Amino acid sequence: MFDVSVFKDLLLYVPLSIIGLWRWSFWLVKRFAATTYHPNVRPWPKNQPRPTVSIVTPVYNEDPIVFEQALQSWRKNGVEEVIAVIDKSNTNHIVNFTRTYVNAEPSKTKFRLIVTPKPGKRAALCDGIDKASGDLIALVDSDTIWDDNVLEKTIPYFKNPRIGGATVSQRISNPDTAANILFDILLWTRYKEEVPFLLGVGMALNTLSGRTAIYRREAILNIDYDNLHQLRHEFFMGTRGISGDDKRLTHLILQQGWHTAFVLGATVYTPGLDSLRVFFKQRLRWTRNSWRADLRAVGKGWVWMHPALAIFMIDRFFQPLFMLIGPVVLVLAVVHQEWLFAGILIAWWLVSRFIRIFGYFRSHPKRLVYLPVYIVYGYVNALFKIYALATLLEHSWATRWHKNRAKRKSFIKKSATVLGGYVAIVICTVLLTQLALSFRQQSGANVDIQPPVDVAAFEREAQKLRGLQASPIIIEDGIDPTEVKTYIVQQGDTMQALSTSLGMSVGDLKRLNSIADSDNINIGQAIVYHKGPL
């Protein structure tokens, strides 16, 4: 016979299934829309001069070997100009770049050096952009190595006069640790799903990544807008923005009416972060940047001109809460020893996440062992998003903003920031726990199953009741139905007189006949009374 408790376990959290159905439906829509991104772009005609390209790269404490590889890859692509904005503290980079490139024999690529005392990447970008001479200005991180065909594939997209900026697919050059493989999976997902989805149904993506973002000169050096000032001096609720420059510049050109593009068939590579600790700190900074930029975009209203991007942003606002329902429900299932449901939930996570990134594991089958890491990261990232939202005013950039250059915060302010983030996580966890408990209550999961009664116990209880129907127990002070009588009120009767004649107190008569006012009885009214005890 089918066990009812098993059926209850399977249908325990129907609302959770509904949420999962919605998330899967949205993912399927994104995947389908991503397949529709097929821009009609043909190679640049050989008989026409192509746009010139300037690269602006801020340099701060970069690995010399990686920087050299990046420079050679850019020159091999045929860029006309490379402007390296090197921090004044990096004397070795300044000397080597000057000797090897600036003072070297003339070549097709012109190398220029700007030594800056200004802290932060934004100032370096603005100084480099201001000096760039190319028709297209590529903002490139100093550790980003290009494939040989990046410019060949990218330049034709700018035939469309409405394209203000373009980006290319990105991957990790050294996926040999858990942190770097996880990073590589996230980049694969972004450029296989998120970016082509947004451009498949619209003309705007959320961020032209700072590793390689190629802009039309008129888009960022527009006489009608002071974009460099807006980039250099971004404030959010009174605090200056340090990181998040790529998203800021992307949103500025979108707000001004430009379209964006994703270049198919071109890839750039960047070293990953070997430490999970550093990786998570980076994700926290990026998450804060996303919250600030997206909240500003929704608040200013320009994003509604791009419905797909607006829906994408709104979905990301609520995603952390929906993501965390799963782990909360799993913990409750374990606490209540609902092992079948817990096992099904874990199995579903493994299968569903595998389906979503199947293409990645098909190309890299040996990395399948990192699937659990990817699953755990998804839920940890949801916590980061809540923590980041509660600490939006915290700005930091570990790789390009040395702690000695940043304004020092007091211990109290630092503690208040951390505490605020933790409190937000606790509040969300409590609310989600209450929601999960309500799921259980509505599904009847909290109703205890009564233990079965054995035959002997049933016989003992039945023996106690035998003979009661034939000889029922009569309550000593009960009312004999044969003693209940009715009296019809006559003219001149009062409750006090009836009490005396009928042998019952006025209070008992009022209760028995539901009489509220003893002075208000009517001729012909039936008064019920009895002779037995009440």
Side-chain angles (χ1 to χ4, degrees):
M1 180 180 291
F2 184 76
D3 191 347
V4 177
S5 63
V6 173
F7 183 73
K8 281 182 58 179
D9 284 343
L10 293 175
L11 300 180
L12 185 57
Y13 298 105
V14 173
L16 180 66
S17 302
I18 295 174
I19 293 173
L21 179 63
W22 171 58
R23 298 302 306 165
W24 263 87
S25 299
F26 189 65
W27 177 79
L28 289 172
V29 169
K30 289 194 297 183
R31 290 294 293 174
F32 174 76
T35 62
T36 66
Y37 180 64
H38 295 293
N40 185 20
V41 177
R42 296 181 180 179
W44 193 270
K46 294 183 178 181
N47 58 350
Q48 294 183 12
R50 75 175 198 179
T52 57
V53 179
S54 295
I55 285 183
V56 175
T57 179
V59 183
Y60 180 77
N61 292 347
E62 188 58 79
D63 182 330
I65 297 177
V66 174
F67 186 38
E68 176 66 21
Q69 292 174 342
L71 288 168
Q72 291 298 329
S73 72
W74 307 337
R75 178 155 63 179
K76 193 172 183 179
N77 269 267
V79 300
E80 282 73 18
E81 182 179 50
V82 173
I83 301 176
V85 187
I86 304 179
D87 189 89
K88 69 173 185 178
S89 64
N90 293 177
T91 54
N92 287 336
H93 277 310
I94 295 172
V95 171
N96 293 334
F97 186 78
T98 301
R99 180 188 301 121
T100 307
Y101 293 98
V102 177
N103 295 336
E105 293 293 329
S107 64
K108 181 180 178 181
T109 302
K110 181 179 180 181
F111 292 90
R112 302 174 62 185
L113 170 65
I114 298 176
V115 178
T116 178
K118 304 171 186 176
K121 184 181 178 184
R122 290 183 184 232
L125 285 173
C126 290
D127 290 347
I129 292 171
D130 192 52
K131 299 296 183 182
S133 60
D135 301 316
L136 303 178
I137 301 176
L139 307 183
V140 186
D141 282 352
S142 56
D143 60 355
T144 301
I145 301 170
W146 284 9
D147 265 346
D148 295 344
N149 63 348
V150 169
L151 280 194
E152 176 190 347
K153 293 287 187 179
T154 301
I155 288 178
Y157 284 76
F158 287 91
K159 285 182 180 179
N160 183 345
R162 300 193 65 184
I163 296 296
T167 191
V168 298
S169 182
Q170 301 171 14
R171 297 296 295 272
I172 297 299
S173 60
N174 56 337
D176 49 8
T177 64
N180 289 345
I181 290 175
L182 178 58
F183 201 169
D184 197 47
I185 293 174
L186 296 176
L187 287 176
W188 182 90
T189 303
R190 171 174 168 77
Y191 292 100
K192 289 293 184 180
E193 178 183 313
E194 176 186 320
V195 171
F197 152 67
L198 291 172
L199 295 179
V201 295
M203 294 301 295
L205 55 85
N206 209 14
T207 308
L208 295 170
S209 173
R211 295 185 191 89
T212 293
I214 302 175
Y215 292 91
R216 188 184 298 273
R217 182 180 186 84
E218 294 81 2
I220 51 178
L221 293 173
N222 194 309
I223 60 174
D224 296 325
Y225 305 97
D226 194 352
N227 287 331
L228 294 190
H229 177 82
Q230 295 292 333
L231 176 62
R232 190 191 301 261
H233 302 291
E234 178 192 5
F235 287 85
F236 184 87
M237 297 179 66
T239 59
R240 178 184 289 274
I242 298 176
S243 59
D245 48 90
D246 47 2
K247 196 161 192 173
R248 175 61 170 162
L249 194 53
T250 303
H251 282 195
L252 284 173
I253 70 167
L254 289 174
Q255 185 176 353
Q256 294 157 17
W258 294 96
H259 291 172
T260 53
F262 170 50
V263 179
L264 298 178
T267 305
V268 300
Y269 298 88
T270 183
L273 303 171
D274 294 334
S275 167
L276 278 172
R277 179 175 176 272
V278 177
F279 171 77
F280 283 127
K281 288 180 66 176
Q282 182 192 69
R283 304 304 296 188
L284 180 59
R285 291 193 300 273
W286 288 357
T287 303
R288 288 196 185 107
N289 297 335
S290 292
W291 274 117
R292 287 189 285 260
D294 292 350
L295 288 172
R296 180 189 288 111
V298 172
K300 287 186 175 294
W302 64 263
V303 73
W304 302 109
M305 297 186 298
H306 306 280
L309 181 58
I311 293 172
F312 176 77
M313 286 184 182
I314 298 300
D315 176 74
R316 287 179 22 137
F317 290 163
F318 295 100
Q319 186 183 28
L321 293 177
F322 291 123
M323 282 291 294
L324 289 177
I325 288 178
V328 169
V329 168
L330 176 64
V331 170
L332 290 176
V334 172
V335 169
H336 291 87
Q337 298 184 359
E338 294 158 353
W339 308 116
L340 176 62
F341 178 77
I344 291 175
L345 186 58
I346 293 174
W348 170 246
W349 287 346
L350 291 169
V351 172
S352 61
R353 299 315 188 271
F354 174 76
I355 293 174
R356 291 192 178 192
I357 56 176
F358 171 75
Y360 182 86
F361 291 129
R362 181 175 57 185
S363 301
H364 309 284
K366 292 183 179 180
R367 299 178 191 174
L368 182 60
V369 294
Y370 291 95
L371 177 60
V373 177
Y374 173 73
I375 295 173
V376 173
Y377 164 77
Y379 298 110
V380 173
N381 190 49
L383 291 175
F384 279 175
K385 289 183 177 181
I386 295 172
Y387 184 90
L389 179 61
T391 59
L392 277 183
L393 300 185
E394 178 70 19
H395 292 260
S396 62
W397 193 354
T399 57
R400 297 181 184 269
W401 188 286
H402 194 272
K403 62 181 180 181
N404 293 332
R405 292 178 168 182
K407 183 179 179 180
R408 295 180 181 274
K409 289 187 176 182
S410 66
F411 175 78
I412 295 178
K413 288 186 177 180
K414 289 181 180 179
S415 301
T417 299
V418 175
L419 181 62
Y422 287 157
V423 168
I425 291 176
V426 170
I427 291 175
C428 289
T429 302
V430 170
L431 292 176
L432 291 174
T433 301
Q434 293 300 316
L435 180 63
L437 289 173
S438 71
F439 290 170
R440 297 175 56 83
Q441 189 69 36
Q442 294 170 19
S443 65
N446 286 339
V447 178
D448 295 333
I449 300 175
Q450 297 298 324
V453 180
D454 58 34
V455 177
F458 179 79
E459 287 292 338
R460 286 194 298 271
E461 293 298 322
Q463 185 65 31
K464 295 177 183 179
L465 301 176
R466 284 176 182 159
L468 290 182
Q469 185 174 0
S471 304
I473 299 175
I474 300 177
I475 302 175
E476 294 182 359
D477 57 352
I479 300 173
D480 186 352
T482 60
E483 296 295 326
V484 177
K485 300 183 182 300
T486 302
Y487 173 79
I488 304 301
V489 177
Q490 304 296 319
Q491 187 174 359
D493 285 338
T494 63
M495 287 297 293
Q496 188 61 46
L498 292 176
S499 172
T500 303
S501 63
L502 300 178
M504 293 185 65
S505 67
V506 174
D508 289 342
L509 284 174
K510 288 172 64 178
R511 284 193 297 274
L512 190 61
N513 292 275
S514 301
I515 297 174
D517 185 1
S518 58
D519 295 330
N520 187 16
I521 58 176
N522 302 314
I523 298 173
Q525 180 178 347
I527 301 296
V528 178
Y529 68 99
H530 60 83
K531 295 297 184 179
L534 182 61

